[in-house]
Amino acid sequence: MARYEAVIGLEVHAHLQTMTKLFCGCSTRFGDAPNSNTCPVCLGLPGALPVLNRKALDLALRASMALGCKIQERSRFARKNYFYPDLPKGYQISMYELPLAIAGAIVVEVEGEKKRIGVTRLHMEDDAGKSLHEGFPDSDRWSYIDFNRCGVPLIEIVSEPDLRSPAEAYAYLNTLKQILEYTEVSNCNMEEGSLRCDANVSVRLRGAHKFGTKAEVKNLNSFRYLAHALEYEIERQIAVIESGGSITQETRLWNLAAGRTEPMRSKEFAHDYRYFPDPDLLPVSVSAVMVEAVRRSMPELPAAKLARFQSDYGITEYDAGVLTASQDLADYFESAVKAGAPAKTAANWISVELLRRLNDTRKGISDCPVTPHSLADLLRKVDKGEITAGTGKRVFAVMFETGRQPADIIAAEGLAQITDTSAIEKIAREVVAKSPDNVAKYRAGNEGVFKFFVGQVMRETRGQANPQAVNEILKRILSGE
Ligand SMILES: [Zn+2]
């Protein structure tokens, strides 16, 4: 393995977040009754004429700009001809020799190293329908077709063969997904097929300049499959070469159940698409004014937000990375800071306490029972010493479970910090009196046992004693005063 290097390029398809399809007014909603969102245009009936969805074009332009692509003044839709039951027109409308945008790049990070991955092209196309081979009483004899997805707008993003490992491919797809979500171009829901990925994979001896023969691996529709399938395919190709064979240029499918890639039947995938410009659609002409409008509507991108969080809030790159993983989480953090939470504390609590609980309860940040405002309220109380950090965590747990306000919980459960030094001193004296052995050790120079005493006092006060007062009082008592 160490003598070889993998060369990987990804082709990513993403559904655009439009209400209606690419060339007709049918709804794009997922999960509707089969074949309810169809019309003569998306069913490819004779005489029906497509009209380009302006919103889809705007979203595709936004994606192009976010990926640093050069938007072409003129692009053109072409017919990609092939016959398959889920494609009623007999062709897919795509872009071929004149794509919407070219020559972009994104920066990905793997194990602390940043790498620039080229984006060859971005083009628009319409999706095909869906064949249903399972779930019907007569599924052993018949397949069913749902045309709802027919004509749903897609962008295809083709990367340069710049990726060298499954980890880099994973990071690229993750970064791409983050950008498409931030820009609201796509919801990137992989379970619903809104983000799909195919890979071109080849191997070559390390240091070689020529690319090896590549295989296309289809159906990598989850992050986990992507890494597994690429690892499998790379090892397979190396084994073929090592045993004196050669790689066949072919299309392979990731078989999830078997955990391997398998060749597709060649008849199922003929490469002769006989592309030609679609005579029913005008060329797409993108003016400087349109590009400028897209630029103005562009939200802050993940990389810019990551840098700004570090400089504006003084938090680490790691924390900033956690907080900017999604736009919603980043917004949550900024709302909490705006509501008065100290930034570093908020970063810490959100990335540890909050995310852990969201994870445990399988909730997203948008369903979080604790509002940014209540979190800020709690963190201010910790900051001002009204409650200790330990108590804060207990209050937070109740807030998360019940959605109640911190002040209510603190009052109802008597959790306010004990700052009354005479009360702390009384408890500290009792603790010390119970452990003459440890007192002797301390006085003999073993300072380690001091922590034991602090722990005991905190336990007796249910973590509510002011830690600084506990330290001072214990030192005084133990030194024999
Ligand atoms: Zn339609």
Side-chain angles (χ1 to χ4, degrees), residues 348-364:
N348 204 312
W349 279 62
I350 291 171
S351 55
V352 180
E353 298 296 319
L354 183 67
L355 286 184
R356 179 167 57 82
R357 280 174 204 281
L358 286 175
N359 215 7
D360 287 350
T361 52
R362 296 175 182 277
K363 284 192 169 102

Side-chain angles (χ1 to χ4, degrees), residues 21 23-27 37-43 150-151:
K21 294 185 180 179
F23 299 115
C24 62
C26 293
S27 170
N37 298 327
T38 55
C39 74
V41 172
C42 55
L43 289 177
C150 237

Side-chain angles (χ1 to χ4, degrees), residues 77 165 183 189 213 321 374 430:
F77 284 105
S165 66
T183 49
N189 187 329
T213 306
S374 331
E430 285 166 15

